[in-house]
Amino acid sequence: MEVDDGIIRKNPAKSVWKDYGCEPEEKKALTVGQQKQLMEFVKFDSRYKRYYPMLTVMPGTGVRCGELVGLTWDDVDMGKKEIHIRRTLIYKNFGNGMEYCVSTPKTKSGIHTIPMSNKVYNAFIQQKELNTMLGKDRNNLEIGDCRISGRFLIRTQKIKKVSNVCQPGISVRPQR
């Protein structure tokens, strides 16, 4: 080996297999107290406060990150207080570098409607006001040669390259 021959000082692949075959660590949800601390921090921090409305929606609805960032305003029915989950937005390397991809959920049950609480309803109002204030309210996201109907709720400068084709066999949603 190169290490034994003195070509390199240490084996860069030495620890690659150290957790192979081990059970993955169990994910732990934030406690109510930790959620309150997080929300207070985000609400008043100059860098992160723009995420406060959507961070309010996540625990209030149980939506996944990909489902949340895949929402358009057409998916949010403020009159009926309903959220329609129809797609997910993923960021993945499909062989041409990292890119965003809009995909439908893997199963029919992944397409569903979630009722809104008053807190979630108010968070969507705040997000709409924030989008208008930031000049993002009229931005449609280009998907290949077409546009998705409606405007995405959250839009950052980082969403630039989007593909409308996800490769088959690639999991776009983590297991619940």
Side-chain angles (χ1 to χ4, degrees), residues 67-130:
E67 293 170 339
L68 179 68
V69 297
L71 286 174
T72 68
W73 286 109
D74 290 343
D75 299 323
V76 180
D77 188 332
M78 298 297 277
K80 292 182 180 178
K81 288 189 169 182
E82 293 178 339
I83 305 164
H84 304 283
I85 305 297
R86 299 178 176 131
R87 73 190 66 75
T88 61
L89 184 66
I90 61 170
Y91 187 63
K92 203 153 184 110
N93 186 343
F94 295 105
N96 297 326
M98 298 299 286
E99 60 185 345
Y100 287 93
C101 177
V102 175
S103 177
T104 55
K106 288 191 299 187
T107 64
K108 288 182 183 179
S109 63
I111 298 172
H112 57 283
T113 300
I114 302 170
M116 273 189 240
S117 66
N118 288 334
K119 190 173 186 177
V120 170
Y121 178 86
N122 291 331
F124 279 118
I125 290 173
Q126 289 174 352
Q127 184 66 41
K128 196 159 198 112
E129 290 170 356
L130 182 63

Side-chain angles (χ1 to χ4, degrees), residues 148-159:
I148 285 218
S149 66
R151 297 165 305 243
F152 279 84
L153 298 181
I154 304 168
R155 169 122 186 194
T156 68
Q157 297 304 320
K158 293 181 182 178
I159 297 179

